[in-house]
């Protein structure tokens, strides 16, 4: 379908438009990262699915990924961290938090994630990155 669309003269209508949208997203995120070391955003619009649960609803799968699309378009590194239990949700499952870092700043991003996890470890009951991993990089 994509090859046909590009070869049938629709390149201007779709492909070039998509490139412009990608540039807008990338530029917006990078402008925010000029002010901050990282950006903390939701990773999904809902709580995590239960372990070994299959998502069979295509719309639910789409909604589950919608919060990560901007990062994928931007080409920036990101990592998902465990957040607190969502308030008002009848579940003990956590929400996912997405930490977005600078371009080619993966090591710094992991260090920020480690600091976040250490700072919230007691509240969330999660373990942080191994210290020897961070010291090697």
């Amino acid at each position: 379908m994509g090859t046909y669309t590009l070869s049938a003269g629709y390149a201007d209508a779709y492909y070039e438009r998509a490139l412009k949208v990608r540039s807008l997203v990338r530029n917006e995120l990078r402008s925010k990262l000029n002010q901050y070391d990282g950006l903390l955003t939701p990773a999904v619009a809902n709580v995590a699915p239960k372990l070994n649960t299959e998502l069979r609803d295509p719309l639910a799968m789409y909604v589950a990924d919608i919060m990560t699309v901007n990062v994928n378009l931007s080409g920036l590194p990101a990592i998902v961290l465990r957040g607190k239990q969502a308030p008002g949700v009848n579940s003990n499952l956590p929400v996912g938090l997405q930490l977005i870092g600078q371009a080619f700043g993966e090591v710094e991003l992991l260090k920020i994630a480690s600091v976040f996890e250490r700072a919230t470890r007691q509240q969330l009951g999660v373990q942080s990155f191994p210290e020897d991993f961070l010291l090697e990089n």
Side-chain angles (χ1 to χ4, degrees):
M1 179 75 179
T3 303
Y4 171 77
T5 301
L6 292 177
S7 66
Y10 295 105
D12 288 341
Y14 296 105
Y15 183 70
E16 290 180 18
R17 210 160 160 193
L19 288 176
K20 288 178 184 176
V21 169
R22 182 175 71 175
S23 292
L24 288 172
V25 169
R26 181 179 54 239
N27 292 342
E28 181 66 22
L29 285 174
R30 286 185 177 181
S31 75
K32 299 299 181 203
L33 287 166
N34 285 334
Q35 301 170 36
Y36 304 102
D37 294 327
L39 303 174
L40 190 62
T41 66
V44 292
N46 208 339
V47 296
K50 291 186 178 181
L51 191 61
N52 297 325
T53 302
E54 233 181 273
L55 292 177
R56 296 176 191 257
D57 179 7
L59 183 58
M61 292 170 62
Y62 172 78
V63 169
D65 290 339
I66 197 76
M67 305 301 256
T68 61
V69 170
N70 59 349
V71 177
N72 293 329
L73 287 174
S74 71
L76 295 171
I79 187 170
V80 174
L81 304 167
R82 181 180 175 175
K84 279 190 142 185
Q85 179 183 344
V89 176
N90 290 334
S91 169
N92 62 352
L93 297 172
V95 295
L97 301 172
Q98 177 176 233
L99 183 58
I100 305 167
Q102 299 275 351
F104 304 104
E106 288 85 352
V107 172
E108 291 79 12
L109 181 65
L110 289 173
K111 288 179 182 178
I112 295 168
S114 177
V115 169
F116 176 85
E117 285 191 342
R118 274 188 262 131
T120 61
R121 182 185 319 166
Q122 189 173 12
Q123 296 169 341
L124 303 178
V126 294
Q127 295 179 357
S128 61
F129 287 109
E131 290 300 320
D132 56 348
F133 172 81
L134 294 174
L135 294 175
E136 292 173 9
N137 295 301

